[in-house]
Amino acid sequence: MRSFTYERVSSAADAVAHAARVPGARFIAGGTNLLDLMKLEIETPAHLIDVNGLGFDRIESTSDGGLRVGALVRNTDLAADARVRRDYGLLSRALLAGASGQLRNKATTAGNLLQRTRCPYFYDTHQACNKRQPGSGCAAIGGYTRQHAVVGTSEACIATHPSDMAVAMRALDATVETVRANGTRRTIPIADFHKLPGATPHVETALALGELITSVRLPAPLGGRHIYRKVRDRASYAFALVSVGAIVQRDGSARVAVGGVAHRPWRIEAAEAEMPRGAKAVAAALFAGATPTAQNAFKLPLVERTLDAVLAEARS
Ligand code: SF4
């Protein structure tokens, strides 16, 4: 691990001001991904700004009937919150499908959104990786790709986003709230928050340098059946091969977001219009233009069958 300096801050204004002042600074809260990456020298921040003291650890009701989830709310606490369990069951279930109990106790809402891919070549510093070292190439292309993306890929990167929580946030149309380095605040729809890799896979989110997530806002409850199904190689503590998060209404309409298939949670609103024709039609619309490899083409029928099972469960 490279040496770095460390400080604790007690206000968001200080956090972003210090981040703007110190080149190579990074925010740290739970650290469940960042510290691993630092030990492997994949992330080498010169300075860590500990934001755990900012007080963004509450879940508050909003005037429009939704919830504002503080950036520092731990995954365990968010999943267990009575309002989340009652009105946003998809979110609670997705959170509980992720990581392990110990990690969920530590991991934060903002950190979950910002976690980085688990592409094995990204973690092996002897391999070419455009995400780790822009312009170096992509060892995954032509390599072992069973876990990789099947849609929204580029010639530079075929990695997936690993978060379960983000899949639920995408189906719920959450909004990310931030404060920028100059102190101004902004809101970013979750649909625009995670980027596709394109030619710059190292640019993973819409956040500007030194911009800090303060909270995530959930809209008023949507009702319906909330189902999250995660398919993985072992029953716990594993990332999704594919996952399907759905909110299914009595009239058969549904919102569907898919994990494990792209560089961001994958939701195509137009595909949801195909719901009356069944899972096959929805999957076909979701994966129009997909570019699977021979090793991960199984993900396409796997999503279709998982969605079929989700819809059957919703009808039961
Ligand atoms: Fe790196 Fe992306 Fe290629 Fe993986 S798929 S090696 S993260 S560029």
Side-chain angles (χ1 to χ4, degrees), residues 117 119 121-122 128-132 137-141 148 156-159 201:
T117 185
C119 169
Y121 300 102
F122 175 70
C129 174
N130 288 320
K131 186 182 285 296
R132 179 172 18 84
C138 171
I141 296 175
H148 287 77
C157 179
I158 58 171

Side-chain angles (χ1 to χ4, degrees), residues 42-251:
I42 294 165
E43 297 253 17
T44 55
H47 184 63
L48 287 184
I49 301 171
D50 186 331
V51 295
N52 282 298
L54 298 190
F56 299 147
D57 54 0
R58 286 184 288 278
I59 304 171
E60 298 166 330
S61 300
T62 58
S63 57
D64 64 356
L67 290 179
R68 174 171 282 109
V69 181
L72 296 168
V73 173
R74 306 290 152 168
N75 288 180
T76 297
D77 296 332
L78 184 56
D81 184 272
R83 294 161 294 180
V84 174
R85 285 165 58 91
R86 184 188 64 219
D87 296 329
Y88 305 93
L90 175 60
L91 178 57
S92 185
R93 293 186 175 111
L95 282 160
L96 292 174
S100 66
Q102 285 173 315
L103 285 166
R104 292 194 295 269
N105 288 345
K106 199 77 183 141
T108 64
T109 303
N112 193 317
L113 289 176
L114 295 173
Q115 65 178 299
R116 307 197 70 188
T117 185
R118 265 54 175 195
C119 169
Y121 300 102
F122 175 70
Y123 283 80
D124 182 347
T125 54
H126 296 99
Q127 302 285 342
C129 174
N130 288 320
K131 186 182 285 296
R132 179 172 18 84
Q133 191 177 350
S136 64
C138 171
I141 296 175
Y144 179 71
T145 56
R146 185 168 181 274
Q147 297 275 358
H148 287 77
V150 294
V151 70
T153 57
S154 73
E155 291 181 359
C157 179
I158 58 171
T160 57
H161 194 273
S163 171
D164 294 290
M165 185 197 78
V167 174
M169 296 281 196
R170 180 69 180 90
L172 289 163
D173 272 339
T175 304
V176 181
E177 300 181 319
T178 73
V179 57
R180 287 184 277 208
N182 63 6
T184 59
R185 296 182 178 271
R186 71 164 170 156
T187 58
I188 308 168
I190 192 81
D192 301 330
F193 185 78
H194 293 105
K195 301 284 187 190
L196 290 178
T200 56
H202 59 291
V203 181
E204 295 170 345
T205 72
L207 292 179
L209 202 63
E211 189 170 5
L212 176 71
I213 298 175
T214 55
S215 53
V216 176
R217 206 174 64 227
L218 303 178
L222 296 163
R225 289 283 299 272
H226 288 219
I227 300 170
Y228 188 76
R229 255 192 208 218
K230 178 174 180 177
V231 182
R232 46 190 158 176
D233 281 331
R234 61 177 181 231
S236 73
Y237 197 40
F239 293 96
L241 282 171
V242 307
S243 67
V244 172
I247 302 170
V248 185
Q249 303 295 344
R250 278 175 184 273
D251 64 3

